[in-house]
Amino acid sequence: MYPKWQKQRLYELHLAWLVQGPRGLELLFKVNPYALYETREEALEAARALLQGRLDQDPRVGRGRAPILLSQEDRACFLALLESGKALLPLDRYALLGEVAEVEERLLHKAPFREGSNVLHSLKGLPVRLLYTPLNDPEGESQEVARGSLEVLPEGIRVGDAHLRIPPDTPIEGLAYEEAFFHLGEGRYYLYALSSSTPS
């Protein structure tokens, strides 16, 4: 197994606004998009940077506006709580929730088809689903091309009855043992494993 295919210990930062509902605090919105950091300190540094602003929802996640503006004292208190791992700061009928969680994740890996470390090799022999989306139609639905065990051949791949020739320099991206995708001709191909038995 290539080191780039293995799960790595990383730190995920969660920041969210909660609101008092009929059954207690409920999620109002998540502030930041899914974000992973190599160290706990990097995750805390990202939280410090976010706390300098208004804590509106990141546009990549949505359009929520911070229900309350934090005072300097609120920011300092929240950061002190977050440094211990998890923070919940009640503010009137709202609350700010933060957590730096340790997770094990595979990172996206990219390598040309000719290299043994491309993630198609991690899917070899697994039951997969092969989908195709035309590049010139961003609204287009993905179409299933084939299902079956993946064979990786010197000149391309075979899934069930479908055979694709892949030039050696074609970049293959994906998460080992989970998914792979690449562009070929006028479209984008996407494979994902149908079995969940993946090594760590």
Side-chain angles (χ1 to χ4, degrees):
M1 179 191 301
Y2 290 91
K4 295 281 188 184
W5 292 1
Q6 294 176 347
K7 288 186 176 178
Q8 297 178 34
R9 187 162 297 181
L10 299 163
Y11 295 86
E12 185 178 358
L13 173 64
H14 301 278
L15 286 178
W17 282 106
L18 308 179
V19 63
Q20 188 65 46
R23 291 189 217 120
L25 288 171
E26 298 172 356
L27 178 68
L28 182 61
F29 62 79
K30 190 170 177 351
V31 173
N32 61 317
Y34 178 71
L36 293 173
Y37 302 90
E38 288 190 11
T39 66
R40 186 173 163 63
E41 190 47 51
E42 284 177 40
L44 288 169
E45 196 52 49
R48 285 185 198 100
L50 285 169
L51 283 164
Q52 297 303 315
R54 283 181 41 102
L55 285 182
D56 293 337
Q57 193 170 29
D58 186 294
R60 291 169 289 178
V61 182
R63 293 199 170 113
R65 304 282 286 173
I68 289 181
L69 297 179
L70 299 181
S71 68
Q72 282 302 111
E73 189 178 313
D74 291 337
R75 292 173 209 272
C77 178
F78 184 79
L79 268 174
L81 291 168
L82 190 59
E83 284 169 3
S84 68
K86 195 165 187 174
L88 181 65
L89 183 67
L91 299 157
D92 194 23
R93 59 183 284 253
Y94 298 97
L96 182 61
L97 173 70
E99 183 178 14
V100 174
E102 193 174 329
V103 294
E104 283 198 341
E105 298 276 346
R106 282 188 182 85
L107 296 178
L108 200 64
H109 179 58
K110 184 176 181 179
F113 177 71
R114 70 172 176 274
E115 287 186 16
S117 72
N118 87 60
V119 292
L120 286 171
H121 289 283
S122 72
L123 296 166
K124 196 168 17 182
L126 293 178
V128 298
R129 192 169 171 215
L130 175 63
L131 302 172
Y132 171 80
T133 307
L135 288 175
N136 58 2
D137 185 7
E139 304 285 319
E141 295 272 325
S142 292
Q143 300 159 1
E144 183 172 306
V145 176
R147 273 180 199 240
S149 294
L150 173 65
E151 284 182 73
V152 180
L153 309 166
E155 74 283 352
I157 61 170
R158 180 176 287 125
V159 177
D161 295 331
H163 180 261
L164 284 178
R165 294 187 72 80
I166 304 176
D169 292 332
T170 304
I172 309 293
E173 292 183 75
L175 299 172
Y177 306 103
E178 297 174 36
E179 63 182 20
F181 48 91
F182 53 92
H183 292 128
L184 203 57
E186 297 299 313
R188 176 182 174 99
Y189 287 89
Y190 177 66
L191 291 99
Y192 72 90
L194 294 171
S195 110
S196 60
S197 58
T198 62
S200 52

